[in-house]
Amino acid sequence: MTEGKSGATPLEGDGKRILLILGTPKKDSLCHALAEAYSLGARSKGHVVRQLRLGEMQFDPILREGYEQSQNLEPDLLEAQRLIHWAEHLVFVYPVWWGGIPALLKGFFDRVFLPGFAFKYRNRSQLWDKLLSGRSADLLVTMDTPRWYFRWIYGAPAHRQMVRTILGFCGIKTRRLSEFAPVRPSNEEQRQSWLRKAEALGTKA
């Protein structure tokens, strides 16, 4: 788990508290570059940016007994919960693999977004309390699939999962969902334009 560093970026001010979660196990990728670009843009406006790089964190991504038994949180996950409480705005940067979010990111949600932290079921009711309400989110998503095909043919399953059944369930309102696709046939000029877009999104955090 590391805090983001972007070279000679402006000093962080007293702006919005932003937690950027890099949800890929890969050590180097377009997602890393997009995350750094977003952070650069946000810091240029005086926002305070912290990062969680899931691929560098030490934790078991498997919720082994569901909610029936408690599973001790590793130090990195306890720190993740502290930073989520600290943040006003969350930024998730991740690829779509097999139509969904990476297993590591799903495992992070399984282990961290627990009852009593992210939500709370009500007694004798089908309703629940959204314990992370008041926070907003931006999603920066890379895909090899063309955007139109992912939306109209596949039905955008990864987007629905993130926006509705994970973040929305816990009270986090997704403000922007930005797709960077298709990655595989893209050239350097296209990727540089994506990095500029990510930096511009950071300035609007």
Side-chain angles (χ1 to χ4, degrees):
M1 177 174 58
T2 61
E3 294 182 357
K5 296 180 181 179
S6 304
T9 55
L11 293 175
E12 293 178 330
D14 57 356
K16 187 176 295 184
R17 300 187 303 275
I18 298 174
L19 176 61
L20 190 152
I21 297 174
L22 185 57
T24 175
K26 294 182 68 175
K27 294 182 179 180
D28 187 29
S29 67
L30 177 60
C31 284
H32 286 75
L34 292 170
E36 291 303 318
Y38 188 103
S39 297
L40 180 66
R43 289 195 176 101
S44 74
K45 297 299 183 181
H47 300 308
V48 181
V49 183
R50 299 288 179 263
Q51 282 194 19
L52 293 175
R53 300 181 182 181
L54 301 192
E56 299 177 10
M57 295 170 58
Q58 299 296 318
F59 68 95
D60 181 359
I62 301 174
L63 184 65
R64 297 190 175 273
E65 299 294 338
Y67 299 143
E68 296 176 3
Q69 297 183 23
S70 62
Q71 186 172 341
N72 291 336
L73 292 177
E74 295 85 345
D76 279 357
L77 295 188
L78 291 172
E79 176 66 2
Q81 287 189 336
R82 186 190 71 81
L83 287 173
I84 291 169
H85 271 155
W86 166 85
E88 300 170 86
H89 182 62
L90 304 172
V91 183
F92 294 89
V93 186
Y94 57 91
V96 165
W97 291 345
W98 288 107
I101 63 177
L104 181 62
L105 180 56
K106 177 58 166 56
F108 175 81
F109 286 125
D110 286 347
R111 295 293 317 284
V112 172
F113 279 36
L114 298 172
F117 173 78
F119 65 95
K120 181 180 179 182
Y121 289 122
R122 298 177 185 176
N123 291 333
R124 299 180 181 178
S125 173
Q126 295 297 312
L127 301 178
W128 68 98
D129 295 319
K130 301 178 179 183
L131 302 183
L132 297 179
S133 295
R135 293 167 179 81
S136 57
D138 283 346
L139 310 183
L140 280 64
V141 185
T142 65
M143 302 184 295
D144 283 334
T145 306
R147 289 178 292 176
W148 69 268
Y149 198 95
F150 189 69
R151 181 179 302 273
W152 298 112
I153 304 302
Y154 290 154
H159 299 345
R160 294 201 311 273
Q161 181 184 28
M162 282 292 292
V163 174
R164 297 180 184 178
T165 65
I166 297 178
L167 301 182
F169 186 89
C170 302
I172 301 170
K173 184 177 181 180
T174 299
R175 191 175 58 183
R176 298 186 184 90
L177 193 161
S178 301
E179 299 166 316
F180 301 85
V183 173
R184 187 168 56 84
S186 65
N187 54 33
E188 182 63 23
E189 181 180 0
Q190 178 65 70
R191 294 187 180 208
Q192 289 301 317
S193 72
W194 287 340
L195 295 181
R196 290 192 295 271
K197 177 180 178 180
E199 184 173 348
L201 289 170
T203 66
K204 300 173 184 176

